Amino acid sequence: MLYETLLQGKILLCFVFFGVICGLGLSIKKLADKLAKCNKIVVIITDFAFMLAFSLIFIYAKIKYAYGQFRLFEMLGFCAGIFLEQFSLNNLVEKFLNMSYTLLIKIFCKLKKSKLFGKIFK
């Protein structure tokens, strides 16, 4: 019993960390929805895929670090990690993702104009 009590701080920090990871995934989902330009089918698919991914991450953390026991502070730590990322790192992450996306588009456009690309994808 004492061992489980001593691990509660570690478990809380692990769930906050996994919440931050899911917050990063939420930023990626927002970018995907923005790029889909309100296509309802794509939005539904991304909602389903990311909710499945977030659930799997939570279940993984639950089994790996909390040994399958449910405690309220785990859920609160997970949600706190998501909110922490959304309110602190979200702007930086979105800028980075937008810069990466524009860079990939520029590289792809240059490759598309090359002769090698035309030969490969004829």
Side-chain angles (χ1 to χ4, degrees):
M1 186 69 165
L2 178 64
Y3 184 68
E4 291 177 0
T5 305
L6 293 175
L7 285 178
Q8 287 181 359
K10 175 188 166 194
I11 292 170
L12 177 65
L13 288 177
C14 288
F15 276 89
V16 169
F17 173 73
F18 282 109
V20 169
I21 297 297
C22 288
L24 292 171
L26 187 60
S27 296
I28 294 170
K29 183 207 170 302
K30 285 181 185 177
L31 179 67
D33 289 344
K34 189 168 83 172
L35 294 175
K37 295 182 180 149
C38 299
N39 186 347
K40 289 183 181 182
I41 295 173
V42 173
V43 171
I44 290 170
I45 291 171
T46 58
D47 283 344
F48 181 74
F50 279 97
M51 189 52 67
L52 180 66
F54 295 163
S55 299
L56 290 176
I57 289 171
F58 184 77
I59 291 170
Y60 171 76
K62 186 76 140 148
I63 292 170
K64 181 76 174 171
Y65 297 103
Y67 309 110
Q69 297 176 351
F70 182 76
R71 297 178 182 134
L72 183 62
F73 72 86
E74 297 166 352
M75 185 66 99
L76 294 175
F78 193 75
C79 293
I82 292 173
F83 289 129
L84 180 72
E85 192 279 332
Q86 289 297 306
F87 291 120
S88 63
L89 298 174
N90 190 33
N91 291 333
L92 293 173
V93 170
E94 284 187 1
K95 286 180 184 178
F96 175 74
L97 289 173
N98 284 329
M99 287 184 348
S100 301
Y101 175 73
T102 55
L103 180 67
L104 285 173
I105 292 298
K106 287 179 183 179
I107 291 172
F108 184 73
C109 288
K110 286 184 180 182
L111 285 175
K112 193 174 179 182
K113 292 178 183 176
S114 70
K115 292 180 181 180
L116 180 62
F117 187 84
K119 288 181 181 180
I120 292 174
F121 292 105
K122 268 192 172 180

